[in-house]
Amino acid sequence: MIARRAFGVIGLGALTLSLAACDGPQSALSPGGRDADVLASLFWIMLIGAVAIWLLINGLFFFLTRIRPRAMPRRAAEALIIGGGIVFPTIVVAGLLTYGLSIMPDQRAVGKGTRIEVVGEQWWWRVHYWPEGADEPIVAANEIRLPAGTRSEITLKAARVIHSFWIPGLGGKTDMIPGRVNRMSLEPTETGTYRGQCAEFCGDSHALMALNAVVLRPESFDAWLGRIARPAGPPETELARKGAAVFLSEGCGACHAIRGTAAAGRLGPDLTHLASRTSLAAGILDMTPEALAAWITDPDAIKPGARMPGYDHLAQAEMTALVAYLEGLE
Amino acid sequence: MARAAKPHLPPKTALWQLIAAPIIWSVHFVVTYGGTAIFCAKVDLGPDALALRGYIGIVTLVALLAIAAMGWLAWRKWDLTDDWDYIHEEPTDEERTEFLGHAGVLLSVVSAIGVIFVGLPGLVITGCT
């Protein structure tokens, strides 16, 4: 009796915990876009159907073995086997298949407006915004922003290994494959920040390859895109000016670009508007001075296998200046 | 000691008729998916991919007709309405033939369902992406 009650309490607790996990910025069950909405409905329909069939089959089993354990008339038994074993599952599977297939075309509808190109790198995301009619992209990294209420076209590529682009709160996942150009489209309906995650094992830091997707009202999106299209402003404080000098003298510009400066590297993420991003190191650190300093000192400790070398030889004053400079890149 | 009488086996055609329907199903699968890949690589599909959907529809129809023919042959072999016999336990020619027919009918039903499911995407696809 006590054991049974304990099981009940544990079960209830587990249920509460698992339901609590359904919420939050990275849940396919709290959709913020049309595609995720459809997928969440699909999940609930499948789940309710599965539960109903489970109850039916086990109820029948219980009925026939415990409540009325007698031989059935042959006719009834055959009807049960053919009806329940062949006709019923065929109809159910046909219905589910037709429903599942019918929602696919909308998920792949063509987007309009600014096209976003995302390239999976190890272990970060290169992001290019292509406004309609643009000859060259607006370069960003490790975060995407989307206008609410519009279906945006997203082009997916990979640099060296396979990745998969997945923002559960906004839609399904699509693989990024080296040498191939895949596409998807997303139609967010609610503004907010959603978390995305690489969903295909891609090496050491696969689990640490995330990104935030920020959904803005269309007019805010346009204003934001206009802002990040501009080159970086000059450093404003004395400390930041020192930091800019450290950035260039340490050779950071060999891998990173800061538009408007001599730094034009393309190996690593573009840092032109680094400080305006909602996270650091592809979705795994908050954008704080402490996190920036920790990252620059030893990236490998935060993201094993990261190709950026550590700059632990920098003097404290140099690091402070460098962080101040980067913090000013809004 | 008398030699055991050699059992009277059904003609060889009975065996391939038994597996004909699943084979049609598998060929339909390859022709549908392979054909779609070729369509997508070589042909400009235009809006709604009507040519591709027509191709899938025709291939599916042909496969269903072929399976229906195989099912009909098996049904005649089973000859259910003759004696309503669907248990084939005796080592006689009639029982063997009826068993093969019975199994052939069931395999035809499964294959027809499989072919319909494989062809269903033809109803909804509008392009190759």
Side-chain angles (χ1 to χ4, degrees):
Chain A
M1 189 68 203
I2 292 172
R4 189 177 289 186
R5 189 169 294 170
F7 271 122
V9 170
I10 291 169
L12 202 65
L15 187 70
T16 316
L17 279 178
S18 57
L19 285 179
C22 296
D23 219 356
Q26 192 182 314
S27 172
L29 298 180
S30 63
R34 195 169 296 277
D35 310 85
D37 236 357
V38 172
L39 293 179
S41 313
L42 179 69
F43 170 78
W44 287 116
I45 288 172
M46 290 280 188
L47 181 68
I48 291 167
V51 168
I53 290 174
W54 189 89
L55 288 175
L56 182 73
I57 299 296
N58 283 284
L60 207 58
F61 185 70
F62 187 75
F63 178 75
L64 292 176
T65 56
R66 298 291 169 87
I67 296 179
R68 231 202 62 178
R70 267 171 288 162
M72 285 173 82
R74 185 166 188 145
R75 279 276 156 125
E78 279 166 4
L80 189 65
I81 289 170
I82 294 173
I86 301 174
V87 178
F88 177 70
T90 303
I91 291 173
V92 170
V93 171
L96 289 176
L97 185 63
T98 312
Y99 167 61
L101 288 170
S102 72
I103 62 176
M104 279 172 69
D106 289 342
Q107 299 261 315
R108 292 164 187 275
V110 178
K112 56 179 200 269
T114 298
R115 180 172 67 84
I116 303 170
E117 180 181 307
V118 186
V119 184
E121 303 273 351
Q122 281 169 304
W123 291 272
W124 59 281
W125 317 83
R126 191 186 293 276
V127 182
H128 289 177
Y129 294 88
W130 291 87
E132 282 172 304
D135 296 329
E136 54 182 36
I138 300 165
V139 182
N142 292 336
E143 179 178 288
I144 65 164
R145 300 207 178 195
L146 296 160
T150 312
R151 182 162 284 275
S152 295
E153 182 78 10
I154 300 175
T155 309
L156 301 169
K157 300 178 180 176
R160 289 188 63 214
V161 299
I162 295 180
H163 305 272
S164 185
F165 183 80
W166 190 28
I167 304 164
L170 296 182
K173 69 179 84 138
T174 303
D175 280 0
M176 310 168 111
I177 300 165
R180 259 190 84 94
V181 180
N182 280 349
R183 63 165 289 272
M184 72 186 295
S185 61
L186 289 174
E187 187 175 341
T189 47
E190 317 239 346
T191 57
T193 301
Y194 302 86
R195 191 174 186 275
Q197 167 68 42
C198 179
E200 185 74 56
F201 182 72
C202 57
D204 294 7
S205 285
H206 158 66
L208 300 173
M209 183 172 170
L211 85 166
N212 284 338
V214 184
V215 176
L216 301 167
R217 282 196 302 277
E219 60 276 12
S220 314
F221 174 79
D222 291 338
W224 170 82
L225 197 61
R227 272 204 306 283
I228 69 150
R230 287 199 286 270
E236 282 171 4
T237 64
E238 187 54 36
L239 192 61
R241 272 190 285 278
K242 270 187 198 152
V246 172
F247 189 89
L248 292 177
S249 66
E250 288 293 329
C252 305
C255 294
H256 294 286
I258 297 178
R259 279 173 276 135
T261 73
R266 288 176 178 274
L267 223 54
D270 185 288
L271 302 180
T272 309
H273 299 284
L274 174 73
S276 70
R277 289 180 204 150
T278 53
S279 76
L280 177 66
I284 55 169
L285 296 175
D286 290 333
M287 187 60 76
T288 62
E290 296 77 23
L292 264 171
W295 173 259
I296 296 165
T297 305
D298 191 0
D300 196 68
I302 294 168
K303 192 172 270 202
R307 293 175 72 190
M308 175 168 156
Y311 287 78
D312 52 1
H313 58 275
L314 290 183
Q316 183 66 44
E318 288 175 315
M319 181 62 83
T320 310
L322 181 58
V323 167
Y325 171 55
L326 295 173
E327 283 273 292
L329 295 173
E330 290 198 345
Chain B
M1 202 171 85
R3 278 177 67 192
K6 197 179 173 194
H8 203 121
L9 294 172
K12 284 191 175 132
T13 49
L15 278 178
W16 75 256
Q17 278 179 12
L18 177 70
I19 54 170
I23 288 175
I24 295 167
W25 176 13
S26 60
V27 170
H28 171 260
F29 181 89
V30 171
V31 168
T32 304
Y33 277 72
T36 301
I38 293 170
F39 258 99
C40 286
K42 306 275 185 196
V43 184
D44 179 20
L45 288 172
D48 294 341
L50 280 178
L52 174 58
R53 296 163 77 176
Y55 166 78
I56 295 174
I58 289 168
V59 169
T60 303
L61 199 65
V62 169
L64 284 176
L65 287 174
I67 288 172
M70 291 302 126
W72 174 245
L73 285 180
W75 173 254
R76 285 224 318 239
K77 205 174 281 172
W78 182 10
D79 205 11
L80 177 66
T81 50
D82 168 43
D83 49 7
W84 295 99
D85 180 16
Y86 48 85
I87 296 170
H88 322 286
E89 290 176 333
E90 301 301 318
T92 65
D93 286 350
E94 189 192 346
E95 294 279 88
R96 282 194 199 97
T97 307
E98 287 194 359
F99 167 76
L100 289 173
H102 187 175
V105 168
L106 295 182
L107 284 171
S108 299
V109 171
V110 170
S111 305
I113 294 169
V115 164
I116 291 170
F117 282 8
V118 170
L120 262 183
L123 289 180
V124 299
I125 53 170
T126 52
C128 290
T129 51

